[in-house]
Amino acid sequence: MRTRAALTGALIVLCLVPAAAARAAAPAVGDGQGLHVVAAAQLDPRLVDVTVSTPALAKPVHVRILVPAGYAAQTTRRYPVLYLLHGALDDYRSWSDKGAAEQITAGAPLIVVMPEGGNGGWYTNWFNGGAGGPPEWERFHIDQLIPWLDAHYRTIATRTGRAVAGLSMGGFGAMSYAARHPGLFVFAGSYSGAVDIVNNAPVAAVIGFEAPADGGKPGDQFGDRVVNESVWRAHNPWDQAARLRGLVLTVHTGNGQPGPYDDRGRPLDLIEQQVREMSLSFHRRLVALGIPHRWDDYGGGTHSWPYWQRDLREDLPSMMATFAHPPAAPAPGAGCRTRRRFVVRLPRRPGLVIGSVVLRVNGRRAASLTGNRRTVAVDLRRRRAGTYHVTIAVRGVRRGHRVALTVRRTYRTC
């Protein structure tokens, strides 16, 4: 009944919107930055649904974009952008359909972008047993979607005009992206976020079992929690917290007990209980590092939409104030690798005789080596600062049989 009512309300709204006004709200969008625009549908004067395809993902995905009222009329004005991330077992529609994002941001001079992140994508380029992606969610969101949006919408295309926030899995994504890409965002918010997946065994187990929801095998997102611990820690907000210095940060969490938006007698919400454990751990880590942040441990509250709507409503004034008066950027190189020459050690395999090594940077052949070498230097000193995907393909012979190994690394240089 709730879904039928929502659909009926949406149809009524669409019937009341003049076609010319709906068409005028959003600019024409086209291909670019590795994205191919498959379709674009105007849902109402502010909201557009864009379908894109990319080699980073196995199939086309959607992005919903909210423009501020008056966007079409004020043709020279530029706006800050909020990237609003959804949770696990949900999708790009959730913040507009269930999270009241359009109503909450009404009147705010702000573009809101709500991208697809997979049912269990976890905002990362999947490990896939060491073979890599697709899906490559981080590549799609960071390397493609952000520059695509800046090219097609009138955005403030700098750190001072970008915020990222999300709920649950999206809270992890917001803090992980902000930490892994210093200088990209000025504000990051976690709403019941999974911000310490390494030090919480129950949550780590759940993450592994969510991969099949996106067509993968258990553990495909980050690999085995024990064997591939370095991969987990490289993405974990708790481990990467030092890189969040210089951002305005908010961390919201309930404790799982019924709160003001819950029915009386509702049992303890175990998911929100574990979320609080992670949020508290993350909060303590930020305190230890001397990183200012808003810690909203609001007590009674479950893992549900009314609380996340409230989190966004409460964060919006602070977010807009941050855009108006952004904090100074961290010192150059803070939280970012400044070296541009890296050494990659190839995995050892008993009896393996290496025949050739081919090194590619961002898909382009950069070097080829011969001989039984297990250490390869990746020299990026002549390249501009940015994100580099390094692939090293090794061919050889092992115990009389031909074998092929692939080593993948991602570097962000300053």
Side-chain angles (χ1 to χ4, degrees):
M1 292 296 293
R2 184 176 302 172
T3 302
R4 183 179 301 172
L7 289 172
T8 302
L11 289 172
I12 293 173
V13 169
L14 289 175
C15 289
L16 294 175
V17 174
R23 286 195 298 270
V29 293
D31 296 355
Q33 290 72 41
L35 299 182
H36 168 60
V37 176
V38 177
Q42 193 75 47
L43 304 185
D44 66 38
R46 291 184 58 204
L47 183 63
V48 64
D49 188 316
V50 182
T51 308
V52 297
S53 63
T54 165
L57 302 173
K59 59 183 180 180
V61 294
H62 294 256
V63 180
R64 283 192 171 178
I65 303 168
L66 267 173
V67 297
Y71 179 90
Q74 302 189 39
T75 58
T76 61
R77 183 173 182 178
R78 292 191 170 274
Y79 297 87
V81 183
L82 166 62
Y83 290 86
L84 198 52
L85 309 182
H86 67 78
L89 306 180
D90 217 328
D91 62 27
Y92 70 100
R93 296 169 293 189
S94 61
W95 268 111
S96 57
D97 288 358
K98 295 180 283 188
E102 188 163 4
Q103 293 81 1
I104 293 171
T105 60
L110 176 70
I111 297 172
V112 183
V113 181
M114 297 162 283
E116 179 61 62
N119 288 307
W122 282 92
Y123 299 98
T124 183
N125 298 333
W126 279 27
F127 187 70
N128 285 334
E136 296 175 302
W137 292 108
E138 187 171 3
R139 177 186 170 195
F140 166 53
H141 293 140
I142 302 298
D143 297 334
Q144 297 177 328
L145 180 60
I146 290 178
W148 179 87
L149 191 90
D150 289 340
H152 290 88
Y153 285 77
R154 297 194 311 276
T155 66
I156 299 173
T158 64
R159 160 189 172 269
T160 59
R162 291 195 198 99
V164 61
L167 68 96
S168 196
M169 179 182 80
F172 164 88
M175 291 299 176
S176 182
Y177 280 174
R180 286 170 57 79
H181 301 277
L184 198 59
F185 302 100
V186 72
F187 182 103
S190 169
Y191 309 153
S192 301
V195 286
D196 187 10
I197 61 174
V198 170
N199 300 310
N200 188 299
V203 171
V206 169
I207 291 172
F209 285 111
E210 285 177 350
D214 280 343
K217 301 185 297 297
D220 271 354
Q221 301 103 320
F222 303 109
D224 183 89
R225 167 63 186 82
V226 177
V227 176
N228 306 114
E229 181 178 351
S230 62
V231 178
W232 285 71
R233 292 196 179 278
H235 294 80
N236 188 32
W238 186 95
D239 287 275
Q240 303 301 320
R243 295 184 169 199
L244 294 168
R245 198 177 303 277
L247 280 81
V248 174
L249 304 172
T250 66
V251 182
H252 302 261
T253 182
N255 60 18
Q257 298 286 348
Y261 300 117
D262 299 302
D263 295 333
R264 291 183 180 181
R266 175 169 176 166
L268 175 69
D269 188 325
L270 295 177
I271 296 177
E272 191 68 16
Q273 182 189 53
Q274 291 303 312
V275 160
R276 184 183 183 276
E277 292 298 317
M278 290 185 287
S279 297
L280 180 60
S281 173
F282 183 59
H283 159 66
R284 289 171 174 168
R285 177 68 170 160
L286 292 173
V287 170
L289 292 168
I291 298 178
H293 60 287
R294 182 191 175 198
W295 169 235
D296 182 20
D297 185 13
Y298 52 78
T302 55
H303 207 65
S304 56
W305 278 103
Y307 298 97
W308 305 326
Q309 292 177 13
R310 185 179 68 183
D311 294 341
L312 180 57
R313 280 195 303 269
E314 291 184 358
D315 270 6
L316 190 59
S318 173
M319 194 182 302
M320 300 310 297
T322 300
F323 291 139
H325 304 285
C336 185
R337 306 175 78 165
T338 56
R339 291 179 299 118
R340 301 233 183 136
R341 187 174 186 274
F342 304 94
V343 175
V344 179
R345 292 176 176 81
L346 304 178
R348 290 191 172 274
R349 298 289 188 273
L352 172 64
V353 178
I354 297 177
S356 66
V357 178
V358 176
L359 186 149
R360 296 180 183 274
V361 178
N362 289 351
R364 295 187 177 183
R365 189 183 183 107
S368 59
L369 306 172
T370 58
N372 196 29
R373 300 181 60 179
R374 296 187 183 277
T375 302
V376 180
V378 183
D379 195 342
L380 304 175
R381 284 176 292 186
R382 295 184 180 180
R383 299 172 183 264
R384 297 191 327 178
T387 302
Y388 295 95
H389 305 284
V390 179
T391 303
I392 301 175
V394 183
R395 296 184 181 277
V397 177
R398 181 186 181 195
R399 297 174 182 171
H401 299 281
R402 293 181 180 178
V403 296
L405 303 174
T406 301
V407 179
R408 289 181 173 85
R409 298 287 186 271
T410 297
Y411 300 109
R412 183 169 179 83
T413 64
C414 299

